[in-house]
Amino acid sequence: MHQSKWIILTIIIACQLIVVLDASIMVTAVPQIGHSLHMTATSLTWVHNGYILPFGGFLLLGARAGDLLGRRRMLSVGIGLFSLASMLAGLAPTAEFLLVSRAFQGFAAALTTPAALALLSASFVEAKERSRAIAVYSAVSAGGGSIGLILGGFFTDFISWRVGMFINVPIGIALLYLVQRFIQKTDTRTGRFDLWGAVTSVIGMTALVYGFIQAADQGWGKPETLISLAAGIVLLAVFVLIEARTKEPIIPLRLFASRQRTGAYLGRFLLLCGNFSLFFFIPQFLQNVLDFSSFEAGLAFLPFNGAMFGMLYLMPRLVHRFGNIKVLIAGLLLAIIGTAWMSQIVSIHVQFFPQMFILLAIMGIGTGMALQPFTSLGLSDVDSRDTGAASGLINVAHQSGSSLGLAVLITVFDAAIRTTGQPSKLQFAHAISDSILGSAVFITSALVATLFYLLPAHQPARKQSLIDS
């Protein structure tokens, strides 16, 4: 790989890393944020979801903007807005100001991420180079969450949770310079923005997540919960109708004409429903049951993070030897085993080392093996006009899965808390165990989707090759 391409890859990865970090950098800081800004337990969930929902919801609009206005331009605009929003979040004097700033951050991230992935796809066209580049990108996309936990915990314990926001500002300024210096200007096109599609998708997903959070806080039978869930379902159905009828949709439904791509998008969504929730529940267990500090809870994810990045060096060879689908299935099986086993050992008596340490490493290996194939399969055989939309859809599956999965599993956690009469730490450990088991169910669903959608597409191709030989 030429030096210039390494520079481009480094810039793209750095852009992706800062937006992924900010999805988790607040997790270990949640108790401190609640104390300093007087936020309730329910409102604290929006520190995370207030970022993730506009991030996932506007990704497709961001991808479309990159196609029409130029990907380098949108990457620069996204980084600039992200840096500004990060500074505002760090300065937040009230809970409301923080949540609005986080939403602004999420919108900026939605402009940045699809432009970065589309530039990666366009810059690395040779098969071996592209495989290596996607491996790095996938590892950062997944491992960035655990890095965020470590940094967030460090800043919270030793300085302030606000530093986790301020640090994005100098990084963003440096990236703006590097993007202009090393990434060539990309072409623009004429066309329209599917604004109604973007609005209905964002509001619909927000309503759905809000409904699950209200179910956890108020109960399933409350009118506010039912109305919110119903509104989310209706708005998402309207979104699909808009995409089917508009001339220039943010999600061209032709992307789902490929069974392989459909399976990759759905599988990634379900994997993240289960996987990202672990970054929320396990640190809470470590802090509230095992009495870890915020920084120690972040460091506890090093085995997951180390295993994830270790797979970076092995994935190109594994994929070359066994193919994307076999590696993907093996990775999902490892992730399921590690997560299900983790749910069974979580208790007030568990020792972090070696039990949790080993299982986190197994989960990291499995996730690292799964994400790169999902990315490659989601971009496979995409027409050049749809590259931005396909890149955006991969990230939509990633972010919406993170948000919706956490919202659903919070209801599992709350139900377990309410139905047990055990002492406080036992009660909390029991609820965390149930939530992690829910994560395993989501990841198992990702495996089922993979087998259903990807194996039928794989087998005929194999039979045809035997006939040809």
Side-chain angles (χ1 to χ4, degrees):
M1 192 181 294
H2 297 301
Q3 184 178 5
S4 60
K5 287 192 174 183
W6 272 116
I7 294 173
I8 292 172
L9 180 59
T10 301
I11 294 169
I12 291 171
I13 292 307
C15 292
Q16 180 67 3
L17 182 59
I18 62 170
V19 300
V20 172
L21 278 176
D22 275 48
S24 62
I25 201 166
M26 293 291 209
V27 170
T28 46
V30 160
Q32 183 65 29
I33 294 171
H35 177 74
S36 62
L37 297 181
H38 310 290
M39 298 176 72
T40 65
T42 301
S43 62
L44 280 171
T45 63
W46 290 101
V47 174
H48 167 74
N49 282 326
Y51 176 78
I52 289 294
L53 285 168
F55 187 1
F58 285 110
L59 269 168
L60 296 169
L61 192 66
R64 180 66 174 157
D67 289 341
L68 297 181
L69 303 177
R71 289 160 190 162
R72 190 187 76 165
R73 177 183 296 174
M74 293 316 301
L75 184 62
S76 297
V77 170
I79 294 170
L81 292 177
F82 189 85
S83 301
L84 175 60
S86 297
M87 184 176 67
L88 294 175
L91 294 170
T94 64
E96 293 78 12
F97 194 97
L98 174 63
L99 297 184
V100 171
S101 299
R102 288 285 282 169
F104 186 21
Q105 266 190 308
F107 174 75
L111 301 180
T112 303
T113 297
L117 184 53
L119 285 168
L120 182 148
S121 182
S123 301
F124 298 90
V125 293
E126 192 271 325
K128 187 175 180 180
E129 285 188 349
R130 186 169 184 164
S131 177
R132 293 175 65 188
I134 290 178
V136 177
Y137 180 91
S138 298
V140 168
S141 295
S146 49
I147 295 174
L149 293 176
I150 296 170
L151 287 177
F154 175 82
F155 293 140
T156 301
D157 277 354
F158 298 106
I159 311 175
S160 167
W161 63 265
R162 296 178 185 273
V163 178
M165 296 290 96
F166 288 140
I167 196 173
N168 292 326
V169 180
I171 294 174
I173 292 172
L175 284 173
L176 281 173
Y177 168 76
L178 293 173
V179 167
Q180 297 300 315
R181 173 82 181 271
F182 293 103
I183 295 182
Q184 293 183 351
K185 187 176 181 180
T186 52
D187 295 334
T188 60
R189 293 191 347 223
T190 57
R192 296 181 179 180
F193 287 104
D194 179 17
L195 187 59
W196 284 113
V199 169
T200 52
S201 65
V202 172
I203 298 177
M205 185 59 74
T206 302
L208 204 59
V209 169
Y210 182 76
F212 279 111
I213 291 174
Q214 286 301 110
D217 191 45
Q218 302 293 333
W220 288 98
K222 295 293 183 180
E224 189 174 3
T225 300
L226 297 174
I227 290 171
S228 182
L229 290 172
I233 293 170
V234 169
L235 284 169
L236 290 175
V238 170
F239 167 69
V240 174
L241 290 175
I242 290 173
E243 299 310 282
R245 295 181 180 182
T246 189
K247 292 182 178 179
E248 298 184 46
I250 53 175
I251 294 186
L253 296 185
R254 57 182 172 269
L255 287 173
F256 296 97
S258 164
R259 188 182 183 92
Q260 183 170 269
R261 287 197 300 268
T262 301
Y265 301 143
L266 178 59
R268 190 185 194 97
F269 171 82
L270 292 170
L271 172 62
L272 266 295
C273 279
N275 186 267
F276 189 85
S277 300
L278 299 171
F279 293 150
F280 183 86
F281 289 113
I282 291 178
Q284 303 308 310
F285 169 77
L286 294 173
Q287 292 180 76
N288 290 286
V289 178
L290 300 188
D291 298 320
F292 279 36
S293 68
S294 296
F295 183 45
E296 289 170 338
L299 285 176
F301 268 81
L302 277 176
F304 185 100
N305 195 38
M308 175 88 65
F309 280 96
M311 293 309 300
L312 164 67
Y313 298 99
L314 296 178
M315 282 302 293
R317 279 176 282 178
L318 288 175
V319 170
H320 177 74
R321 182 171 180 179
F322 299 106
N324 276 311
I325 294 174
K326 289 182 180 178
V327 173
L328 171 58
I329 291 171
L332 289 174
L333 284 171
L334 282 175
I336 292 166
I337 291 168
T339 306
W341 198 344
M342 180 72 77
S343 74
Q344 299 305 303
I345 69 167
V346 164
S347 70
I348 62 171
H349 303 294
V350 71
Q351 298 293 319
F352 176 77
F353 188 88
Q355 296 104 311
M356 293 185 70
F357 183 96
I358 292 172
L359 291 179
L360 282 168
I362 292 172
M363 292 152 66
I365 291 170
T367 304
M369 291 176 68
L371 282 176
Q372 181 193 340
F374 273 143
T375 302
S376 298
L377 294 168
L379 292 172
S380 63
D381 300 321
V382 174
D383 190 277
S384 58
R385 60 178 174 162
D386 293 328
T387 302
S391 303
L393 194 52
I394 287 171
N395 284 290
V396 166
H398 200 101
Q399 303 305 330
S400 58
S402 300
S403 183
L404 188 62
L406 179 58
V408 171
L409 293 177
I410 280 175
T411 67
V412 174
F413 174 83
D414 187 73
I417 284 287
R418 291 182 180 181
T419 56
T420 179
Q422 297 170 323
S424 179
K425 284 193 175 183
L426 288 174
Q427 176 184 2
F428 198 88
H430 173 72
I432 292 292
S433 174
D434 284 359
S435 303
I436 295 174
L437 184 60
S439 292
V441 171
F442 271 125
I443 300 171
T444 303
S445 299
L447 176 61
V448 172
T450 297
L451 296 175
F452 179 78
Y453 280 100
L454 300 182
L455 282 187
H458 184 57
Q459 289 169 352
R462 184 180 178 182
K463 290 178 182 177
Q464 185 63 46
S465 67
L466 291 174
I467 292 170
D468 294 339
S469 63

